[in-house]
Amino acid sequence: MAFFTHPASDGAMDVSQLRIALFSGNYNYVRDGANQALNRLVGYLLRQGAAVRVYSPVVDNPAFPPTGDLVGVPALAIPGRAEYRAPMFLPPRIKRDIRRFDPNLLHVASPEILGHRAVTLARRWNRPVVASVHTRFETYFRYYGLAFLEPLAVAALRRFYQRCDAIFAPSESMAQLLRDQRMSYDVGIWSRGIDQEIFNPGRRSAEWRRGLGIADDEVAIGFVGRLVMEKGLDVFSDAIDRLAQRGVKHKVLIVGEGPAGEWFRTRLPGAIFAGFQSGPDLGRAVASMDLLFNPSVTETFGNVTLEAMAAGLPVVAARATGSQSLVADKVSGRLVRPGAIEDFADMLQHYCTDADDRRRAGEAGRKASDRYGWDQVNQALVDGYLRVVRQRQAGSRPPRLGPVP
């Protein structure tokens, strides 16, 4: 299957000539920041005249309707995390579907079996292939007593990403980590955007807070995200314990659901659990907090951090990939060494007790969030797509990188 594109009259390719096959381990069956970004990307591409076909596991009752054409691939439930599906392979019928679609670029969104098979297919057919990086999979082993497997995971990820023409990280801090790990010679940025109609300070609702038992003069420390251990729930809980021991008045507001929810409720019996929220309800929940606490080190960007900033909240976060590209330390929030419980507690105490700095930091974060419009960040990826296609048309192929010395 020879590589072929239809160039524009001036010899340059434009977005309307892109035919993109997108491969994702989770496109819409469980809602998370990564697949919402992918759906927004597909919507943007379709509006620009590109052709897109998505290949991902499907379920009978997905979390939300897919954007664009979605083709289901064989998958099995993951043991211990049955809400997720592990795609197994590309059967002949799917390969025939891809051949009929005739993509001039393949985009893989996760480094599992489906992604590996798609990269192999792209190389066999001499089609350019790019990967987007959405989470730090190698760090997950730390939260399940398997930290010794992390070097093996890094090596496996390196093999995967080095087979791609280019990879795209959601933040400069994550891009630099990928360069340091020698994941690719070509690391671009595909950031994340924010819907300011949903996330803004005007969504704050004193009535909603009161309905949850939060008084107008109480400081609500918020957590937003799936309730899974790799989000740093243990660190969050330990830091909240320190605040209680110090006698710092506060409320804890948890927004989200997940398999670690029962553990989290037992661990923080005084917290308010508002459950899963989406759309305008999520915007109201975030804006009704007084600060966000995000101790996770697994994010490559940190959608919830940006959403909190857009809502005018200061953010206390781990100094890790994603957050350190968003939060300006001592300006829009505080960045703390990962796992440093006492330091996290110090920063939370500061914002609980200093209302003026809390307001200043929140306003700084809101202004910083203005730079993240969805159309702008998606166009940056489209520009990357076109660059990769042009390079391949010119005969350029990515060099093979060696292992980290």
Side-chain angles (χ1 to χ4, degrees):
M1 192 174 185
F3 174 55
F4 179 74
T5 59
H6 301 279
S9 58
D10 62 357
M13 190 180 199
D14 64 37
V15 60
S16 67
Q17 294 167 301
L18 286 172
R19 297 183 63 81
I20 300 163
L22 173 63
F23 300 83
S24 173
N26 173 20
Y27 188 63
N28 72 321
Y29 61 80
V30 173
R31 185 187 300 270
D32 60 25
N35 62 19
Q36 291 183 89
L38 290 171
N39 276 262
R40 284 182 178 274
L41 169 65
V42 171
Y44 180 76
L45 288 165
L46 293 174
R47 292 195 302 274
Q48 302 305 308
V52 186
R53 198 155 175 84
V54 182
Y55 300 88
S56 174
V58 297
V59 296
D60 291 337
N61 297 297
F64 57 94
T67 302
D69 295 331
L70 174 59
V71 178
V73 300
L76 296 176
I78 298 177
R81 295 291 292 274
E83 74 274 21
Y84 283 106
R85 297 291 185 270
M88 300 308 297
F89 58 97
L90 283 174
R93 65 176 178 83
I94 299 295
K95 292 179 183 178
R96 288 193 295 270
D97 187 275
I98 300 169
R99 186 182 291 272
R100 284 193 298 269
F101 178 62
D102 192 23
N104 50 27
L105 180 76
L106 284 75
H107 176 164
V108 293
S110 48
E112 23 62 340
I113 294 175
L114 176 64
H116 277 275
R117 297 294 180 267
V119 172
T120 298
L121 202 64
R123 292 170 69 88
R124 182 181 304 152
W125 289 349
N126 192 29
R127 301 298 168 103
V129 56
V130 302
S132 53
V133 182
H134 297 272
T135 191
R136 293 191 60 190
F137 289 106
E138 77 275 16
T139 66
Y140 284 19
F141 295 101
R142 304 174 189 177
Y143 300 93
Y144 299 95
L146 299 170
F148 65 92
L149 293 177
E150 188 167 328
L152 296 177
V154 171
L157 289 170
R158 185 179 300 118
R159 180 179 181 274
F160 175 76
Y161 290 127
Q162 286 189 5
R163 298 174 70 212
C164 299
D165 290 73
I167 63 177
F168 292 88
S171 64
E172 180 53 43
S173 57
M174 186 63 200
Q176 189 56 53
L177 175 65
L178 293 167
R179 295 183 192 109
D180 292 344
Q181 294 176 324
R182 295 179 63 80
M183 293 291 180
S184 174
Y185 86 108
D186 189 339
V187 184
I189 303 294
W190 174 35
S191 189
R192 299 293 181 266
I194 188 72
D195 186 342
Q196 293 186 331
E197 290 295 314
I198 292 177
F199 298 100
N200 64 74
R203 292 281 181 179
R204 186 178 178 89
S205 171
E207 181 180 2
W208 187 77
R209 281 169 53 102
R210 293 173 196 143
L212 294 173
I214 305 172
D216 293 356
D217 60 349
E218 288 183 306
V219 176
I221 300 172
F223 176 94
V224 181
R226 278 187 56 76
L227 304 187
V228 290
M229 295 307 297
E230 57 264 28
K231 295 295 185 183
L233 305 187
D234 52 346
V235 174
F236 186 100
S237 304
D238 289 346
I240 294 299
D241 282 350
R242 296 294 193 278
L243 281 189
Q245 292 164 8
R246 297 177 186 185
V248 178
K249 294 183 178 180
H250 66 278
K251 290 281 191 177
V252 175
L253 175 56
I254 310 295
V255 175
E257 295 176 347
E262 184 176 351
W263 179 91
F264 210 23
R265 287 180 173 84
T266 302
R267 186 65 184 76
L268 292 175
I272 298 165
F273 286 79
F276 174 77
Q277 307 281 327
S278 65
D281 289 341
L282 178 59
R284 178 185 63 184
V286 173
S288 298
M289 299 169 179
D290 294 289
L291 65 139
L292 181 79
F293 179 19
N294 181 10
S296 174
V297 299
T298 63
E299 276 86 3
T300 58
F301 181 76
N303 297 68
V304 298
T305 296
L306 181 60
E307 290 164 359
M309 291 167 60
L313 307 187
V315 177
V316 175
R319 188 181 298 276
T321 53
S323 294
Q324 62 184 351
S325 293
L326 292 171
V327 179
D329 193 34
K330 299 182 181 179
V331 178
S332 57
R334 296 297 178 93
L335 295 172
V336 175
R337 179 171 54 86
I341 304 301
E342 293 295 339
D343 293 344
F344 275 125
D346 289 343
M347 297 304 100
L348 294 172
Q349 181 172 348
H350 169 75
Y351 284 126
C352 283
T353 57
D354 191 334
D356 289 339
D357 199 30
R358 193 167 68 238
R359 283 191 291 270
R360 281 193 296 268
E363 178 58 19
R366 188 200 62 74
K367 290 180 179 178
S369 72
D370 289 341
R371 301 193 301 267
Y372 295 89
W374 274 111
D375 283 356
Q376 294 95 314
V377 300
N378 283 332
Q379 182 58 46
L381 179 59
V382 170
D383 292 341
Y385 282 164
L386 294 172
R387 175 180 59 80
V388 168
V389 171
R390 286 195 302 270
Q391 289 173 180
R392 181 60 76 87
Q393 286 177 318
S396 174
R397 295 183 68 87
R400 185 72 175 173
L401 297 179
V404 175

PDB file of all heavy atoms in Angstrom, residues 104-134:
ATOM      1  N   ASN A 104      -3.898   9.144   5.270  1.00  0.00           N
ATOM      2  CA  ASN A 104      -2.548   9.598   4.959  1.00  0.00           C
ATOM      3  C   ASN A 104      -1.775   9.970   6.229  1.00  0.00           C
ATOM      4  O   ASN A 104      -0.646  10.444   6.166  1.00  0.00           O
ATOM      5  CB  ASN A 104      -2.553  10.764   3.961  1.00  0.00           C
ATOM      6  CG  ASN A 104      -3.496  11.884   4.360  1.00  0.00           C
ATOM      7  OD1 ASN A 104      -3.787  12.082   5.533  1.00  0.00           O
ATOM      8  ND2 ASN A 104      -3.981  12.615   3.356  1.00  0.00           N
ATOM      9  N   LEU A 105      -2.388   9.722   7.394  1.00  0.00           N
ATOM     10  CA  LEU A 105      -1.720   9.898   8.682  1.00  0.00           C
ATOM     11  C   LEU A 105      -2.438   9.042   9.718  1.00  0.00           C
ATOM     12  O   LEU A 105      -3.673   9.015   9.750  1.00  0.00           O
ATOM     13  CB  LEU A 105      -1.738  11.361   9.122  1.00  0.00           C
ATOM     14  CG  LEU A 105      -1.074  11.666  10.468  1.00  0.00           C
ATOM     15  CD1 LEU A 105       0.448  11.634  10.319  1.00  0.00           C
ATOM     16  CD2 LEU A 105      -1.507  13.008  11.020  1.00  0.00           C
ATOM     17  N   LEU A 106      -1.679   8.336  10.541  1.00  0.00           N
ATOM     18  CA  LEU A 106      -2.251   7.588  11.662  1.00  0.00           C
ATOM     19  C   LEU A 106      -1.842   8.276  12.955  1.00  0.00           C
ATOM     20  O   LEU A 106      -0.696   8.726  13.099  1.00  0.00           O
ATOM     21  CB  LEU A 106      -1.774   6.133  11.661  1.00  0.00           C
ATOM     22  CG  LEU A 106      -2.413   5.194  10.624  1.00  0.00           C
ATOM     23  CD1 LEU A 106      -1.858   5.471   9.231  1.00  0.00           C
ATOM     24  CD2 LEU A 106      -2.191   3.727  11.006  1.00  0.00           C
ATOM     25  N   HIS A 107      -2.774   8.362  13.897  1.00  0.00           N
ATOM     26  CA  HIS A 107      -2.539   8.985  15.197  1.00  0.00           C
ATOM     27  C   HIS A 107      -2.904   7.962  16.271  1.00  0.00           C
ATOM     28  O   HIS A 107      -4.044   7.495  16.330  1.00  0.00           O
ATOM     29  CB  HIS A 107      -3.407  10.243  15.330  1.00  0.00           C
ATOM     30  CG  HIS A 107      -3.330  10.925  16.664  1.00  0.00           C
ATOM     31  ND1 HIS A 107      -3.780  12.222  16.853  1.00  0.00           N
ATOM     32  CD2 HIS A 107      -2.871  10.528  17.897  1.00  0.00           C
ATOM     33  CE1 HIS A 107      -3.604  12.559  18.122  1.00  0.00           C
ATOM     34  NE2 HIS A 107      -3.068  11.537  18.768  1.00  0.00           N
ATOM     35  N   VAL A 108      -1.940   7.593  17.102  1.00  0.00           N
ATOM     36  CA  VAL A 108      -2.195   6.657  18.193  1.00  0.00           C
ATOM     37  C   VAL A 108      -2.180   7.426  19.509  1.00  0.00           C
ATOM     38  O   VAL A 108      -1.312   8.265  19.748  1.00  0.00           O
ATOM     39  CB  VAL A 108      -1.168   5.507  18.205  1.00  0.00           C
ATOM     40  CG1 VAL A 108      -1.342   4.631  16.989  1.00  0.00           C
ATOM     41  CG2 VAL A 108       0.266   6.028  18.268  1.00  0.00           C
ATOM     42  N   ALA A 109      -3.176   7.148  20.361  1.00  0.00           N
ATOM     43  CA  ALA A 109      -3.351   7.935  21.580  1.00  0.00           C
ATOM     44  C   ALA A 109      -2.987   7.187  22.851  1.00  0.00           C
ATOM     45  O   ALA A 109      -3.048   7.769  23.934  1.00  0.00           O
ATOM     46  CB  ALA A 109      -4.800   8.433  21.674  1.00  0.00           C
ATOM     47  N   SER A 110      -2.623   5.917  22.738  1.00  0.00           N
ATOM     48  CA  SER A 110      -2.224   5.184  23.944  1.00  0.00           C
ATOM     49  C   SER A 110      -1.314   4.027  23.547  1.00  0.00           C
ATOM     50  O   SER A 110      -1.526   3.378  22.516  1.00  0.00           O
ATOM     51  CB  SER A 110      -3.448   4.667  24.717  1.00  0.00           C
ATOM     52  OG  SER A 110      -4.370   4.027  23.859  1.00  0.00           O
ATOM     53  N   PRO A 111      -0.309   3.745  24.385  1.00  0.00           N
ATOM     54  CA  PRO A 111       0.719   2.761  24.023  1.00  0.00           C
ATOM     55  C   PRO A 111       0.379   1.340  24.442  1.00  0.00           C
ATOM     56  O   PRO A 111       1.178   0.662  25.089  1.00  0.00           O
ATOM     57  CB  PRO A 111       1.950   3.287  24.772  1.00  0.00           C
ATOM     58  CG  PRO A 111       1.381   3.885  26.015  1.00  0.00           C
ATOM     59  CD  PRO A 111       0.050   4.487  25.609  1.00  0.00           C
ATOM     60  N   GLU A 112      -0.840   0.889  24.099  1.00  0.00           N
ATOM     61  CA  GLU A 112      -1.200  -0.492  24.410  1.00  0.00           C
ATOM     62  C   GLU A 112      -1.204  -1.317  23.133  1.00  0.00           C
ATOM     63  O   GLU A 112      -0.677  -0.882  22.117  1.00  0.00           O
ATOM     64  CB  GLU A 112      -2.552  -0.572  25.159  1.00  0.00           C
ATOM     65  CG  GLU A 112      -3.490   0.568  24.983  1.00  0.00           C
ATOM     66  CD  GLU A 112      -4.009   0.841  23.590  1.00  0.00           C
ATOM     67  OE1 GLU A 112      -3.429   0.424  22.580  1.00  0.00           O
ATOM     68  OE2 GLU A 112      -5.022   1.521  23.511  1.00  0.00           O
ATOM     69  N   ILE A 113      -1.795  -2.489  23.170  1.00  0.00           N
ATOM     70  CA  ILE A 113      -1.710  -3.399  22.026  1.00  0.00           C
ATOM     71  C   ILE A 113      -2.265  -2.766  20.752  1.00  0.00           C
ATOM     72  O   ILE A 113      -1.655  -2.862  19.676  1.00  0.00           O
ATOM     73  CB  ILE A 113      -2.444  -4.718  22.343  1.00  0.00           C
ATOM     74  CG1 ILE A 113      -1.713  -5.465  23.468  1.00  0.00           C
ATOM     75  CG2 ILE A 113      -2.538  -5.592  21.095  1.00  0.00           C
ATOM     76  CD1 ILE A 113      -2.422  -6.723  23.942  1.00  0.00           C
ATOM     77  N   LEU A 114      -3.408  -2.090  20.851  1.00  0.00           N
ATOM     78  CA  LEU A 114      -3.995  -1.454  19.669  1.00  0.00           C
ATOM     79  C   LEU A 114      -3.022  -0.434  19.082  1.00  0.00           C
ATOM     80  O   LEU A 114      -2.829  -0.372  17.865  1.00  0.00           O
ATOM     81  CB  LEU A 114      -5.318  -0.783  20.046  1.00  0.00           C
ATOM     82  CG  LEU A 114      -6.004   0.013  18.935  1.00  0.00           C
ATOM     83  CD1 LEU A 114      -6.410  -0.897  17.785  1.00  0.00           C
ATOM     84  CD2 LEU A 114      -7.231   0.758  19.488  1.00  0.00           C
ATOM     85  N   GLY A 115      -2.417   0.376  19.947  1.00  0.00           N
ATOM     86  CA  GLY A 115      -1.473   1.368  19.466  1.00  0.00           C
ATOM     87  C   GLY A 115      -0.277   0.737  18.778  1.00  0.00           C
ATOM     88  O   GLY A 115       0.156   1.190  17.707  1.00  0.00           O
ATOM     89  N   HIS A 116       0.264  -0.329  19.374  1.00  0.00           N
ATOM     90  CA  HIS A 116       1.398  -1.026  18.755  1.00  0.00           C
ATOM     91  C   HIS A 116       1.021  -1.582  17.391  1.00  0.00           C
ATOM     92  O   HIS A 116       1.800  -1.484  16.423  1.00  0.00           O
ATOM     93  CB  HIS A 116       1.867  -2.168  19.662  1.00  0.00           C
ATOM     94  CG  HIS A 116       2.784  -1.729  20.754  1.00  0.00           C
ATOM     95  ND1 HIS A 116       4.140  -1.586  20.573  1.00  0.00           N
ATOM     96  CD2 HIS A 116       2.532  -1.385  22.048  1.00  0.00           C
ATOM     97  CE1 HIS A 116       4.695  -1.200  21.708  1.00  0.00           C
ATOM     98  NE2 HIS A 116       3.748  -1.063  22.618  1.00  0.00           N
ATOM     99  N   ARG A 117      -0.154  -2.184  17.283  1.00  0.00           N
ATOM    100  CA  ARG A 117      -0.579  -2.762  16.004  1.00  0.00           C
ATOM    101  C   ARG A 117      -0.761  -1.662  14.952  1.00  0.00           C
ATOM    102  O   ARG A 117      -0.448  -1.863  13.777  1.00  0.00           O
ATOM    103  CB  ARG A 117      -1.878  -3.551  16.181  1.00  0.00           C
ATOM    104  CG  ARG A 117      -1.752  -4.755  17.105  1.00  0.00           C
ATOM    105  CD  ARG A 117      -0.840  -5.817  16.517  1.00  0.00           C
ATOM    106  NE  ARG A 117      -0.720  -6.963  17.402  1.00  0.00           N
ATOM    107  CZ  ARG A 117       0.241  -7.117  18.310  1.00  0.00           C
ATOM    108  NH1 ARG A 117       1.186  -6.181  18.438  1.00  0.00           N
ATOM    109  NH2 ARG A 117       0.283  -8.183  19.089  1.00  0.00           N
ATOM    110  N   ALA A 118      -1.285  -0.523  15.379  1.00  0.00           N
ATOM    111  CA  ALA A 118      -1.479   0.582  14.439  1.00  0.00           C
ATOM    112  C   ALA A 118      -0.137   1.116  13.940  1.00  0.00           C
ATOM    113  O   ALA A 118       0.014   1.415  12.749  1.00  0.00           O
ATOM    114  CB  ALA A 118      -2.280   1.699  15.104  1.00  0.00           C
ATOM    115  N   VAL A 119       0.836   1.242  14.833  1.00  0.00           N
ATOM    116  CA  VAL A 119       2.164   1.703  14.421  1.00  0.00           C
ATOM    117  C   VAL A 119       2.787   0.710  13.439  1.00  0.00           C
ATOM    118  O   VAL A 119       3.378   1.101  12.422  1.00  0.00           O
ATOM    119  CB  VAL A 119       3.070   1.917  15.643  1.00  0.00           C
ATOM    120  CG1 VAL A 119       4.510   2.198  15.209  1.00  0.00           C
ATOM    121  CG2 VAL A 119       2.555   3.074  16.497  1.00  0.00           C
ATOM    122  N   THR A 120       2.655  -0.579  13.739  1.00  0.00           N
ATOM    123  CA  THR A 120       3.183  -1.607  12.833  1.00  0.00           C
ATOM    124  C   THR A 120       2.537  -1.504  11.462  1.00  0.00           C
ATOM    125  O   THR A 120       3.204  -1.605  10.423  1.00  0.00           O
ATOM    126  CB  THR A 120       2.959  -3.004  13.428  1.00  0.00           C
ATOM    127  OG1 THR A 120       3.682  -3.112  14.662  1.00  0.00           O
ATOM    128  CG2 THR A 120       3.414  -4.094  12.471  1.00  0.00           C
ATOM    129  N   LEU A 121       1.218  -1.286  11.454  1.00  0.00           N
ATOM    130  CA  LEU A 121       0.498  -1.145  10.188  1.00  0.00           C
ATOM    131  C   LEU A 121       0.999   0.070   9.415  1.00  0.00           C
ATOM    132  O   LEU A 121       1.222   0.003   8.195  1.00  0.00           O
ATOM    133  CB  LEU A 121      -1.004  -1.008  10.470  1.00  0.00           C
ATOM    134  CG  LEU A 121      -1.976  -1.366   9.351  1.00  0.00           C
ATOM    135  CD1 LEU A 121      -1.869  -2.840   8.988  1.00  0.00           C
ATOM    136  CD2 LEU A 121      -3.401  -1.027   9.794  1.00  0.00           C
ATOM    137  N   ALA A 122       1.186   1.182  10.108  1.00  0.00           N
ATOM    138  CA  ALA A 122       1.657   2.401   9.454  1.00  0.00           C
ATOM    139  C   ALA A 122       3.030   2.186   8.815  1.00  0.00           C
ATOM    140  O   ALA A 122       3.278   2.611   7.678  1.00  0.00           O
ATOM    141  CB  ALA A 122       1.719   3.543  10.462  1.00  0.00           C
ATOM    142  N   ARG A 123       3.911   1.520   9.524  1.00  0.00           N
ATOM    143  CA  ARG A 123       5.253   1.276   8.993  1.00  0.00           C
ATOM    144  C   ARG A 123       5.208   0.321   7.802  1.00  0.00           C
ATOM    145  O   ARG A 123       5.941   0.488   6.822  1.00  0.00           O
ATOM    146  CB  ARG A 123       6.158   0.754  10.101  1.00  0.00           C
ATOM    147  CG  ARG A 123       6.444   1.806  11.176  1.00  0.00           C
ATOM    148  CD  ARG A 123       7.143   1.214  12.385  1.00  0.00           C
ATOM    149  NE  ARG A 123       8.493   0.800  12.078  1.00  0.00           N
ATOM    150  CZ  ARG A 123       9.558   1.590  12.147  1.00  0.00           C
ATOM    151  NH1 ARG A 123       9.424   2.863  12.509  1.00  0.00           N
ATOM    152  NH2 ARG A 123      10.769   1.128  11.885  1.00  0.00           N
ATOM    153  N   ARG A 124       4.328  -0.672   7.887  1.00  0.00           N
ATOM    154  CA  ARG A 124       4.212  -1.627   6.784  1.00  0.00           C
ATOM    155  C   ARG A 124       3.669  -0.956   5.528  1.00  0.00           C
ATOM    156  O   ARG A 124       4.094  -1.260   4.410  1.00  0.00           O
ATOM    157  CB  ARG A 124       3.308  -2.787   7.199  1.00  0.00           C
ATOM    158  CG  ARG A 124       3.146  -3.877   6.148  1.00  0.00           C
ATOM    159  CD  ARG A 124       2.222  -4.961   6.653  1.00  0.00           C
ATOM    160  NE  ARG A 124       2.693  -5.517   7.924  1.00  0.00           N
ATOM    161  CZ  ARG A 124       1.902  -6.059   8.850  1.00  0.00           C
ATOM    162  NH1 ARG A 124       0.589  -6.109   8.664  1.00  0.00           N
ATOM    163  NH2 ARG A 124       2.410  -6.542   9.962  1.00  0.00           N
ATOM    164  N   TRP A 125       2.733  -0.020   5.716  1.00  0.00           N
ATOM    165  CA  TRP A 125       2.118   0.658   4.580  1.00  0.00           C
ATOM    166  C   TRP A 125       2.838   1.960   4.208  1.00  0.00           C
ATOM    167  O   TRP A 125       2.376   2.688   3.341  1.00  0.00           O
ATOM    168  CB  TRP A 125       0.654   0.977   4.897  1.00  0.00           C
ATOM    169  CG  TRP A 125      -0.239  -0.230   4.938  1.00  0.00           C
ATOM    170  CD1 TRP A 125       0.060  -1.496   4.537  1.00  0.00           C
ATOM    171  CD2 TRP A 125      -1.594  -0.255   5.406  1.00  0.00           C
ATOM    172  NE1 TRP A 125      -1.015  -2.323   4.727  1.00  0.00           N
ATOM    173  CE2 TRP A 125      -2.051  -1.599   5.258  1.00  0.00           C
ATOM    174  CE3 TRP A 125      -2.458   0.686   5.926  1.00  0.00           C
ATOM    175  CZ2 TRP A 125      -3.338  -1.989   5.615  1.00  0.00           C
ATOM    176  CZ3 TRP A 125      -3.742   0.316   6.291  1.00  0.00           C
ATOM    177  CH2 TRP A 125      -4.181  -1.011   6.141  1.00  0.00           C
ATOM    178  N   ASN A 126       3.906   2.269   4.904  1.00  0.00           N
ATOM    179  CA  ASN A 126       4.675   3.485   4.648  1.00  0.00           C
ATOM    180  C   ASN A 126       3.830   4.742   4.826  1.00  0.00           C
ATOM    181  O   ASN A 126       3.867   5.671   4.019  1.00  0.00           O
ATOM    182  CB  ASN A 126       5.297   3.466   3.244  1.00  0.00           C
ATOM    183  CG  ASN A 126       6.330   4.571   3.061  1.00  0.00           C
ATOM    184  OD1 ASN A 126       6.969   4.992   4.032  1.00  0.00           O
ATOM    185  ND2 ASN A 126       6.487   5.045   1.836  1.00  0.00           N
ATOM    186  N   ARG A 127       3.053   4.752   5.908  1.00  0.00           N
ATOM    187  CA  ARG A 127       2.263   5.924   6.259  1.00  0.00           C
ATOM    188  C   ARG A 127       2.877   6.595   7.490  1.00  0.00           C
ATOM    189  O   ARG A 127       3.329   5.908   8.409  1.00  0.00           O
ATOM    190  CB  ARG A 127       0.817   5.537   6.584  1.00  0.00           C
ATOM    191  CG  ARG A 127       0.082   4.838   5.447  1.00  0.00           C
ATOM    192  CD  ARG A 127      -0.022   5.742   4.222  1.00  0.00           C
ATOM    193  NE  ARG A 127      -0.460   5.034   3.045  1.00  0.00           N
ATOM    194  CZ  ARG A 127      -1.691   5.084   2.536  1.00  0.00           C
ATOM    195  NH1 ARG A 127      -2.619   5.777   3.142  1.00  0.00           N
ATOM    196  NH2 ARG A 127      -1.970   4.433   1.426  1.00  0.00           N
ATOM    197  N   PRO A 128       2.892   7.915   7.544  1.00  0.00           N
ATOM    198  CA  PRO A 128       3.392   8.577   8.747  1.00  0.00           C
ATOM    199  C   PRO A 128       2.468   8.304   9.935  1.00  0.00           C
ATOM    200  O   PRO A 128       1.245   8.201   9.777  1.00  0.00           O
ATOM    201  CB  PRO A 128       3.398  10.053   8.370  1.00  0.00           C
ATOM    202  CG  PRO A 128       2.415  10.182   7.259  1.00  0.00           C
ATOM    203  CD  PRO A 128       2.454   8.871   6.517  1.00  0.00           C
ATOM    204  N   VAL A 129       3.058   8.186  11.118  1.00  0.00           N
ATOM    205  CA  VAL A 129       2.283   7.908  12.323  1.00  0.00           C
ATOM    206  C   VAL A 129       2.813   8.774  13.455  1.00  0.00           C
ATOM    207  O   VAL A 129       4.031   8.925  13.630  1.00  0.00           O
ATOM    208  CB  VAL A 129       2.336   6.405  12.689  1.00  0.00           C
ATOM    209  CG1 VAL A 129       3.767   5.917  12.860  1.00  0.00           C
ATOM    210  CG2 VAL A 129       1.518   6.120  13.939  1.00  0.00           C
ATOM    211  N   VAL A 130       1.897   9.387  14.189  1.00  0.00           N
ATOM    212  CA  VAL A 130       2.257  10.200  15.345  1.00  0.00           C
ATOM    213  C   VAL A 130       1.555   9.645  16.575  1.00  0.00           C
ATOM    214  O   VAL A 130       0.546   8.922  16.470  1.00  0.00           O
ATOM    215  CB  VAL A 130       1.891  11.684  15.137  1.00  0.00           C
ATOM    216  CG1 VAL A 130       2.572  12.249  13.901  1.00  0.00           C
ATOM    217  CG2 VAL A 130       0.368  11.866  15.050  1.00  0.00           C
ATOM    218  N   ALA A 131       2.072   9.982  17.747  1.00  0.00           N
ATOM    219  CA  ALA A 131       1.463   9.559  19.007  1.00  0.00           C
ATOM    220  C   ALA A 131       1.263  10.782  19.892  1.00  0.00           C
ATOM    221  O   ALA A 131       2.108  11.691  19.919  1.00  0.00           O
ATOM    222  CB  ALA A 131       2.348   8.537  19.718  1.00  0.00           C
ATOM    223  N   SER A 132       0.160  10.818  20.599  1.00  0.00           N
ATOM    224  CA  SER A 132      -0.046  11.836  21.623  1.00  0.00           C
ATOM    225  C   SER A 132       0.110  11.184  22.992  1.00  0.00           C
ATOM    226  O   SER A 132      -0.277  10.030  23.189  1.00  0.00           O
ATOM    227  CB  SER A 132      -1.430  12.485  21.485  1.00  0.00           C
ATOM    228  OG  SER A 132      -2.469  11.522  21.445  1.00  0.00           O
ATOM    229  N   VAL A 133       0.704  11.913  23.922  1.00  0.00           N
ATOM    230  CA  VAL A 133       0.990  11.400  25.264  1.00  0.00           C
ATOM    231  C   VAL A 133      -0.004  12.030  26.235  1.00  0.00           C
ATOM    232  O   VAL A 133      -0.081  13.251  26.338  1.00  0.00           O
ATOM    233  CB  VAL A 133       2.438  11.729  25.676  1.00  0.00           C
ATOM    234  CG1 VAL A 133       2.749  11.139  27.048  1.00  0.00           C
ATOM    235  CG2 VAL A 133       3.421  11.198  24.633  1.00  0.00           C
ATOM    236  N   HIS A 134      -0.754  11.183  26.944  1.00  0.00           N
ATOM    237  CA  HIS A 134      -1.835  11.686  27.793  1.00  0.00           C
ATOM    238  C   HIS A 134      -1.639  11.429  29.276  1.00  0.00           C
ATOM    239  O   HIS A 134      -2.292  12.064  30.106  1.00  0.00           O
ATOM    240  CB  HIS A 134      -3.165  11.074  27.349  1.00  0.00           C
ATOM    241  CG  HIS A 134      -3.559  11.453  25.955  1.00  0.00           C
ATOM    242  ND1 HIS A 134      -4.287  12.581  25.667  1.00  0.00           N
ATOM    243  CD2 HIS A 134      -3.293  10.859  24.763  1.00  0.00           C
ATOM    244  CE1 HIS A 134      -4.469  12.668  24.357  1.00  0.00           C
ATOM    245  NE2 HIS A 134      -3.871  11.624  23.783  1.00  0.00           N
TER     246      HIS A 134
END
